[in-house]
Amino acid sequence: MLEANDLARYFDVSRPALQRLIAREPRRTLRAVDGVSFTIPKGQTLSLVGESGCGKSTVARLVVGLYPPSDGTVAFDNQPLSVARADPAQRQRMQMIFQDPYASLNPRWRVRDIIAEPIRAFKLVDGKDAILARVGQLLTQVGLAPADGEKFPHEFSGGQRQRISIARALSSNPEFLVCDEPTSALDVSVQAQILNLMKELQRSLGLTYLFISHNLAVVRQVSDRVGVMYLGRIVEQAPAETLFTTPRHPYTRALMEAIPDLDMTGRTRIPVGGEVPSPISPPSGCAFHPRCPLANDRCKAERPLAQPAGESLVACHAVEEGRG
Amino acid sequence: MTAPLLEVRNLRVEFHTRRGTLTALNDVSLTIAPGEVLGMVGESGAGKSMTGAAIIGLIEPPGRIAAGQVLLDGRRIDNLRYDQMRQVRGRQIGAIFQDPLTTLNPLYTVGRQLVETITTHLPLNPAQARKRAIEWLEMVGIPAAAQRIDSYPHEFSGGMRQRVVIALALCAEPRLIVADEPTTALDVSIQAQVIALLKRLAREKGTAMLLVTHDMGVIAETADRVAVMYAGRIAEIGPVRDIVKAPNHPYTAGLMASIPPLDRRVDKLAAIEGSMPRLSAIPPGCAYNPRCPRVFDRCVRERPDLLDAGTTRAACWLHAHG
């Protein structure tokens, strides 16, 4: 359904030209996404996980065309993304759900107008009554009542607003949904409702998801395949069960070790040392080497490429050499 | 049991608005012993941060403490004048907030902020205070502390900044720390480092801590006892192991069940239907009754107080005996 090949996105974060000239500074680029490849088969969910600044949200935006890529390609249903984006009939097949349901809904619009906007824009249904009927149907589908369409966003709780966002995304009958942290602004009991709803919709409508999250436990619940990102690259990619039962990359293992777990009451863990380096001046070789317990001279000098290891794709010299 | 360091008795916080009075906290009572970590969990708007703010005397108008008492070492601190409370804050109670960038003054070096706090509360001269500040920065794990002390907050990363905030909260050696979501703004790998640090310092110094967070994992690892808040009240309070593994309040049970497990995939997560009521629309009887799977007629009529439920205390009529 979707294929990303060596996708990259750089941002110019230089200071203004005059200041650069005075201070004799070079241009500075931030490599937010630096060579990311994946495919998502129809009806499946690929999740990208990683800490803040690893580039996962940038990938989400590249995939729906909100940013043009600096390098690499995205193919949607075997056609280049730029071609697909130019054609309304193709464009309506992809939609996005954002993190913050307080910021992504227009507070001055009634919910029915918010949900009807894509229907009107793509001219999917004709006539006021038919549109209203479709909106009612969508609201029912996400667990709200058709009468809720008359209300404004502020009358709803966070979880209900996220349901409205989902209804809006579904209104153009998409096949592919990009979900950027759809539950991280929600409380845990409500998060479970939204995750259940998304899984149900995937089953009934055959949706394909690209799911972006920093929460590994959430990712485990929804994914078929998972990519772990670190400083703009995918360091490990594997079927969800494989990744969680046999994590191979030292960073993946460190991430899992770092999560406080309910069963670990009173247990002391050994946290990973150090911090995520700046993507403006990433470390040489493998970006994880300053924090990695397995790093050696090769890791400092040479950037590891993704190699198959069992069912996984792992970018790590230590794993490749069997030092892991 | 040792005498509690902090005692909160029947605390009630109200907000007067044009549309009437909202009760943000209602009849909250708790104690924290020296060296003990009390976790406080709940959904947003449940009143957990409000409890922390009430204890350190930082409730802003139109909010006010309408009833109840806060006692530190048996002495009331909720009715102190502003300048008296300032002496208590910092010296007796240290505060750590969620966002390390807004806690620190961006215009002063980290060292100046630490030295100011130390000289205000401890009988040390500036040179001694600076030495003490460097020791604290080392203690919270800032490398090259003697050099970094003259850096400004923006020169530190998020995790390092939160360490500075922790040093700032601890440097006057308070006996109680109120930590409001201290790790929420941090990435998991940094979060683990900060939790380990807080735990170690609390143990070494015998400091009591109120740890407010929505992350049950953090609570499970750090707290000795837990209070679960719902709609401005404590729904259940008890030892962390019992709250997590064998909760007695249906809300706590629902909350625990809705946390996605990391070690397995479940087909359907156990969600609690609906959402927490707004403060302006708390239902009569038990506030949880519209969402409760075990609701019965008494829950709709009468509000339960905290009742003895064996290992924990739960505000639920299921535990009414006789």
Side-chain angles (χ1 to χ4, degrees), chain A residues 125-317:
Chain A
V125 177
D126 265 341
K128 219 174 160 195
D129 292 343
I131 291 176
L132 218 55
R134 173 72 182 134
V135 168
Q137 191 192 345
L138 285 161
L139 280 168
T140 314
Q141 203 166 21
V142 297
L144 296 170
D148 288 332
E150 293 304 314
K151 297 184 189 164
F152 287 96
H154 75 263
E155 296 174 67
F156 294 91
S157 67
Q160 290 170 322
R161 286 180 205 216
Q162 205 57 304
R163 288 175 191 268
I164 296 169
S165 301
I166 294 174
R168 174 178 60 184
L170 292 178
S171 65
S172 69
N173 308 316
E175 293 154 53
F176 176 58
L177 279 181
V178 174
C179 317
D180 188 1
E181 304 261 16
T183 62
S184 29
L186 305 177
D187 283 313
V188 61
S189 70
V190 178
Q191 165 176 282
Q193 297 171 12
I194 298 296
L195 292 176
N196 285 338
L197 172 68
M198 288 181 58
K199 284 166 86 166
E200 237 171 76
L201 290 170
Q202 180 166 44
R203 266 194 293 267
S204 58
L205 303 174
L207 297 171
T208 309
Y209 288 137
L210 173 64
F211 192 90
I212 310 287
S213 179
H214 68 279
N215 186 332
L216 280 167
V218 167
V219 161
R220 174 148 207 183
Q221 305 310 317
V222 298
S223 317
D224 295 297
R225 211 175 154 77
V226 181
V228 180
M229 289 191 70
Y230 189 75
L231 274 185
R233 295 170 193 167
I234 295 182
V235 294
E236 179 166 2
Q237 196 179 148
E241 273 318 294
T242 314
L243 187 97
F244 283 97
T245 49
T246 47
R248 288 170 193 273
H249 196 285
Y251 177 63
T252 314
R253 282 189 261 167
L255 259 190
M256 293 202 188
E257 178 68 16
I259 297 169
D261 197 2
L262 291 181
D263 293 328
M264 291 196 214
T265 312
R267 205 190 100 184
T268 349
R269 285 170 294 121
I270 309 137
V272 222
E275 315 236 336
V276 183
S278 155
I280 298 173
S281 51
S284 61
C286 171
F288 189 57
H289 87 253
R291 305 174 76 188
C292 181
L294 304 173
N296 64 9
D297 289 342
R298 189 180 171 204
C299 303
K300 284 176 196 155
E302 191 187 328
R303 173 178 166 179
L305 299 173
Q307 303 284 345
E311 286 179 276
S312 319
L313 277 172
V314 187
C316 175
H317 294 312

Side-chain angles (χ1 to χ4, degrees), chain B residues 28 66 77 80 98 114 116 124 127 129 159 172 184 233 265 271 296 307:
Chain B
V28 170
I77 57 166
L80 295 181
Q98 176 169 352
L114 280 164
E116 184 190 335
L124 294 174
T184 307
R233 287 168 182 275
R265 181 175 172 137
F296 58 103
L307 302 168

Side-chain angles (χ1 to χ4, degrees), chain B:
Chain B
M1 199 182 140
T2 48
L5 175 71
L6 177 83
E7 190 175 355
V8 175
R9 286 187 195 153
N10 310 102
L11 189 68
R12 181 183 178 93
V13 172
E14 291 179 347
F15 282 77
H16 292 285
T17 66
R18 272 181 300 170
R19 294 188 188 166
T21 303
L22 299 177
T23 310
L25 282 185
N26 201 345
D27 207 12
V28 170
S29 299
L30 54 88
T31 60
I32 308 180
E36 187 184 39
V37 179
L38 176 72
M40 184 161 262
V41 287
E43 298 177 68
S44 30
K48 47 191 200 306
S49 293
M50 195 60 69
T51 308
I55 289 168
I56 47 180
L58 286 180
I59 293 202
E60 305 211 336
R64 63 182 194 99
I65 295 179
Q69 300 181 346
V70 181
L71 294 96
L72 190 71
D73 243 348
R75 178 173 156 239
R76 274 188 77 171
I77 57 166
D78 56 285
N79 55 358
L80 295 181
R81 284 202 322 270
Y82 183 76
D83 55 327
Q84 291 173 319
M85 191 60 202
R86 276 187 65 166
Q87 290 300 313
V88 173
R89 264 198 309 262
R91 183 69 191 94
Q92 306 277 347
I93 307 178
I96 302 170
F97 298 102
Q98 176 169 352
D99 184 356
L101 198 56
T102 50
T103 307
L104 297 168
N105 189 327
L107 297 178
Y108 294 149
T109 64
V110 161
R112 180 165 166 184
Q113 300 182 49
L114 280 164
V115 167
E116 184 190 335
T117 309
I118 294 169
T119 51
T120 306
H121 296 292
L122 299 177
L124 294 174
N125 66 38
Q128 289 168 321
R130 188 178 159 87
K131 196 164 157 268
R132 178 69 64 88
I134 294 173
E135 284 167 18
W136 270 108
L137 289 177
E138 276 166 3
M139 220 171 324
V140 297
I142 291 187
Q147 285 96 57
R148 297 304 301 271
I149 188 167
D150 294 315
S151 306
Y152 288 89
H154 76 266
E155 298 177 78
F156 291 87
S157 65
M160 286 293 152
R161 237 180 256 143
Q162 194 63 305
R163 284 165 198 263
V164 173
V165 171
I166 290 172
L168 201 57
L170 294 175
C171 66
E173 297 176 3
R175 303 166 63 203
L176 172 72
I177 296 172
V178 175
D180 188 357
E181 305 269 6
T183 59
T184 307
L186 306 175
D187 282 317
V188 273
S189 66
I190 312 301
Q191 168 181 307
Q193 297 170 14
V194 171
I195 294 170
L197 171 72
L198 272 177
K199 241 165 100 173
R200 181 170 60 82
L201 293 175
R203 200 180 316 118
E204 282 172 10
K205 306 275 172 196
T207 315
M209 182 152 67
L210 177 72
L211 176 66
V212 175
T213 175
H214 67 277
D215 188 332
M216 272 316 297
V218 171
I219 291 278
E221 285 206 352
T222 321
D224 301 306
R225 286 188 305 132
V226 185
V228 182
M229 301 284 295
Y230 190 79
R233 287 168 182 275
I234 295 179
E236 186 169 6
I237 184 166
V240 62
R241 207 164 265 284
D242 299 305
I243 294 279
V244 172
K245 295 290 173 204
N248 290 306
H249 195 291
Y251 173 63
T252 318
L255 192 65
M256 295 301 150
S258 63
I259 299 171
L262 183 64
D263 57 354
R264 63 187 186 281
R265 181 175 172 137
V266 291
D267 198 43
K268 193 167 192 288
L269 291 162
I272 309 177
E273 289 311 315
S275 50
M276 198 171 65
R278 294 178 181 205
L279 292 177
S280 55
I282 293 179
C286 171
Y288 188 56
N289 82 61
R291 301 173 77 187
C292 185
R294 301 179 64 183
V295 62
F296 58 103
D297 51 352
R298 193 172 183 184
C299 309
V300 188
R301 285 198 321 266
E302 240 179 299
R303 204 192 65 221
D305 284 321
L306 281 174
L307 302 168
D308 201 349
T311 47
T312 66
R313 291 171 64 75
C316 175
W317 288 124
L318 290 170
H319 301 288
H321 302 289

